[in-house]
Amino acid sequence: MTTGQRKVHLQDLLGRSAVQTFSANERMNQRIIEHLDPAAWRARPPGNVRTIAAIFTHMHNVRCKWVRLTAPHLKVPLQLNRAHCTPQRASEGLAEIAARCGEMLAEVLDGSGRVKQFHRDGWAQPWPVGPEMLGYMLSHEAHHRGQVCMLAHLLGFRLPEEVTSGIWNWERLWKECGFSQGPGYAD
C-alpha cells in the first residue's frame, strides 16, 4: 500500500468511525426519550432552568445550526419549538438532524475538501474541519444529556438504571445502530 493509499484509507476509516460514533451518541438521546416519563417532559424545575423539552429542542436546533452554517448544501429540517414540541416530535427531529450531522461528518473527514470550516455559531470563530469538530459536538450533547438525567431525577421521574447505565454500553449502542461490530471497527 502506498502512502497515498494509506492516507485515503485512514481518512475513510476516520470518517466512518465519526459517523458511527455520532450515531451511537444519537442512540443515547433516543433511549432517554423512549424511557422518560411523559410527565417529566414539561415539568417545571425550580429556578430559572430549562425544562427537559427545552433541552432536547435546544439540542436539535443547535445541530440544525451546525449543519446550516457548516454544510449549507445539506437539507436541514425545521427547528423545533420548545413550547409545542412533544417527545415524539423531538425524537423524530433529532433522528433526522442526526442523519444530516452524520453526512456532514463523513464529508468533513473524507478528505474531499467540500466542507472547509466548522461553524459552531454565528458569533464564534470557525474552526478548520477535523476530529475536534466531532469532540465538540459530542461534548455539547453529553452535557445536555447529563442535565436531562439530573432534572428527571430531581423532579421525581428517575430514569431506569438500565437506561442511565446503558448509555455507557457502547457495544450495545453500536448494535442498536445496526453496525455489525463495536467501537474500533468501521463497518
Side-chain angles (χ1 to χ4, degrees):
M1 184 181 284
T2 67
T3 302
Q5 289 172 319
R6 276 193 299 272
K7 182 178 178 186
V8 168
H9 180 69
L10 181 60
Q11 286 174 323
D12 186 45
L13 285 175
L14 184 59
R16 282 187 283 162
S17 179
V19 171
Q20 290 178 355
T21 300
F22 199 78
S23 294
N25 169 76
E26 174 55 17
R27 187 65 197 120
M28 293 175 198
N29 296 332
Q30 294 295 333
R31 284 181 61 82
I32 290 171
I33 292 171
E34 289 164 8
H35 291 89
L36 187 66
D37 185 316
W41 189 250
R42 295 211 184 281
R44 296 291 318 166
N48 190 18
V49 178
R50 290 178 179 161
T51 63
I52 290 173
I55 292 169
F56 276 117
T57 57
H58 165 75
M59 290 168 67
H60 169 86
N61 294 342
V62 166
R63 285 180 181 180
C64 290
K65 185 184 331 182
W66 292 336
V67 174
R68 181 177 47 80
L69 295 174
T70 302
H73 58 281
L74 296 176
K75 185 176 187 242
V76 178
L78 295 174
Q79 291 200 344
L80 298 176
N81 180 322
R82 69 180 170 204
H84 304 289
C85 188
T86 65
Q88 167 99 20
R89 181 63 193 111
S91 177
E92 293 166 355
L94 283 165
E96 183 180 0
I97 192 60
R100 296 302 80 70
C101 286
E103 290 173 28
M104 177 178 70
L105 287 164
E107 286 184 13
V108 160
L109 298 167
D110 71 2
S112 68
R114 185 168 188 187
V115 178
K116 297 181 183 353
Q117 293 183 315
F118 175 49
H119 297 268
R120 296 168 288 145
D121 207 322
W123 54 262
Q125 288 289 96
W127 295 349
V129 295
E132 301 85 356
M133 176 178 163
L134 175 62
Y136 180 87
M137 294 166 74
L138 295 175
S139 296
H140 179 263
E141 303 232 337
H143 163 71
H144 290 303
R145 265 194 308 275
Q147 287 181 318
V148 167
C149 291
M150 180 189 68
L151 277 174
H153 180 80
L154 291 174
L155 292 167
F157 302 103
R158 187 176 187 156
L159 287 157
E161 190 169 328
E162 76 173 59
V163 174
T164 56
S165 295
I167 61 176
W168 293 101
N169 187 340
W170 281 60
E171 290 79 5
R172 181 176 174 186
L173 293 167
W174 241 252
K175 287 180 183 169
E176 289 178 10
C177 290
F179 304 123
S180 62
Q181 299 182 56
Y185 300 94
D187 285 355

